[in-house]
């Protein structure tokens, strides 16, 4: 049985003050949630103060990115040691905004994945096709390649999470239907089984991301290979994020 995981990716939203306010209220609201993992990925500057508030709660923290080196002359970057020290258990890597706006390649993302794992961080590796890829029937080729290249050389016993985020569904209000998402999730799981064996294939959690809202979470979570959600916009409000986290309870 894979434990569901709901993660909020705040992207470049919320000041430290706003993050603290959110954390204080949120912690109370979801205090009774134990049958699923809850993760928030705030901006770097909010990690430490949020950890202070959430350390004795059931909410875990994630970074949205990191560099692969431990230290050095890399102006503007954050190392895995810093991420870990800030209280993070997870780190999102290869988000489509990192790939498309900041030019991250599969090779760079792979270095980050390996570095995260060697620092006891659980990478949430994001993969996803553009609308053009989908229209050209290249979805499976693209996500399969991103997955295999991103995880290349990773220790077989390492813990990791995969997030399928079709680029055309991010921030657009256009969600993949549960059936479309499930088709890709099934493909990704088969690919993980091919590379890492059945045990890993059965146990790795594959999240869906792209316009997840309280209104569509139930349908997505009903799918066999959808084990959770990576939520952008709807994770910024306590109300909507709480509803998503508590799917299946209403
Ligand atoms: P939205 O939920 O705002 O579409 O963002 C999805 C996402 O990119 C999460 O990482």
């Amino acid at each position: 049985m894979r434990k569901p995981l709901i993660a909020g990716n705040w992207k470049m939203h919320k000041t430290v003050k706003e993050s603290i306010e959110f954390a204080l209220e949120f912690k109370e609201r979801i205090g009774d949630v134990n049958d699923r993992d809850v993760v928030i990925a705030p901006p770097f500057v909010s990690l430490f103060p949020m950890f202070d508030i959430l350390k004795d709660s059931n909410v875990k923290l994630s970074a949205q990115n990191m560099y692969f080196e431990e230290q050095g002359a890399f102006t503007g970057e954050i190392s895995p040691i810093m991420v870990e020290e800030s209280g993070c258990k997870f780190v999102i890597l290869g988000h489509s905004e990192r790939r498309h706006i900041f030019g991250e390649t599969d090779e760079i993302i792979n270095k980050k994945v390996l570095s995260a794992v060697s620092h006891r961080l659980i990478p949430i590796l994001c993969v996803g096709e553009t609308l053009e890829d989908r229209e050209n029937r290249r979805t499976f080729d693209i996500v399969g390649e991103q997955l295999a290249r991103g995880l290349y050389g990773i220790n077989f016993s390492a813990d990791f999470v995969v997030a399928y985020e079709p680029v055309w569904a991010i921030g657009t209000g256009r969600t993949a239907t549960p059936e479309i998402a499930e088709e890709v999730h099934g493909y990704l799981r088969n690919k993980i089984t091919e590379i890492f064996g059945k045990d890993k294939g059965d146990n790795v959690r594959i999240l869906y991301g792209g316009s997840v809202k309280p209104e569509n979470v139930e349908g997505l979570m009903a799918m066999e290979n959808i084990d959770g959600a990576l939520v952008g916009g709807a994770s910024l409000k306590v109300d909507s994020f709480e509803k998503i986290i508590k799917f299946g309870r209403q």
Side-chain angles (χ1 to χ4, degrees):
M1 259 305 266
R2 297 181 292 268
K3 189 176 186 185
L5 190 165
I6 309 291
N9 173 12
W10 284 0
K11 309 191 180 188
M12 202 172 72
H13 293 286
K14 292 197 191 290
T15 62
V16 172
K17 185 169 173 281
E18 290 163 347
S19 306
I20 290 172
E21 282 164 10
F22 184 106
L24 288 168
E25 185 182 351
F26 185 65
K27 166 172 140 160
E28 298 308 322
R29 295 260 208 116
I30 60 133
D32 61 335
V33 175
N34 301 307
D35 57 343
R36 49 204 76 183
D37 287 329
V38 179
V39 175
I40 301 181
F44 287 126
V45 290
S46 291
L47 284 171
F48 239 146
M50 282 185 73
F51 181 61
D52 232 13
I53 297 167
L54 299 172
K55 58 179 181 288
D56 54 358
S57 79
N58 47 358
V59 185
K60 298 188 179 72
L61 285 175
S62 172
Q64 297 177 15
N65 178 35
M66 61 166 221
Y67 196 53
F68 51 81
E69 296 285 0
E70 289 193 340
Q71 59 180 346
F74 304 105
T75 302
E77 295 295 319
I78 303 278
S79 85
I81 296 174
M82 298 166 190
V83 167
E84 200 197 357
E85 194 194 33
S86 306
C88 290
K89 287 265 173 287
F90 296 85
V91 56
I92 297 171
L93 294 173
H95 191 279
S96 73
E97 286 145 22
R98 299 298 318 170
R99 293 177 189 265
H100 296 117
I101 304 174
F102 301 101
E104 288 192 14
T105 60
D106 285 326
E107 195 188 353
I108 291 173
I109 294 160
N110 177 241
K111 285 186 178 171
K112 294 184 174 192
V113 167
L114 297 179
S115 171
V117 163
S118 74
H119 288 88
R120 296 170 301 279
L121 291 163
I122 301 172
I124 302 176
L125 174 67
C126 302
V127 301
E129 83 286 7
T130 62
L131 187 57
E132 196 189 346
D133 296 330
R134 177 158 284 271
E135 283 168 350
N136 290 327
R137 300 179 188 284
R138 297 205 60 225
T139 299
F140 293 142
D141 289 348
I142 297 288
V143 298
E145 226 168 74
Q146 289 173 339
L147 182 88
R149 290 189 178 171
L151 296 173
Y152 185 75
I154 194 177
N155 190 313
F156 271 44
S157 63
D159 204 0
F160 62 88
V161 174
V162 173
Y164 169 54
E165 299 207 313
V167 180
W168 47 271
I170 297 177
T172 57
R174 193 180 156 184
T175 334
T177 62
E179 292 72 23
I180 287 178
E182 171 64 14
E183 198 184 15
V184 180
H185 281 234
Y187 174 83
L188 290 169
R189 191 170 308 287
N190 286 339
K191 190 102 189 164
I192 294 166
T193 305
E194 236 173 65
I195 304 172
F196 296 98
K198 184 166 164 37
D199 203 38
K200 203 69 169 167
D202 286 347
N203 288 305
V204 166
R205 290 179 289 187
I206 308 177
L207 318 181
Y208 169 77
S211 300
V212 176
K213 303 182 205 70
E215 300 78 52
N216 58 27
V217 68
E218 303 286 346
L220 290 161
M221 290 307 298
M223 295 288 139
E224 188 186 334
N225 289 295
I226 301 184
D227 309 312
L230 184 51
V231 188
S235 72
L236 294 170
K237 295 231 163 64
V238 173
D239 272 347
S240 49
F241 197 31
E242 180 190 7
K243 283 192 184 126
I244 292 172
I245 289 163
K246 294 185 176 170
F247 74 89
R249 282 196 182 182
Q250 285 84 5

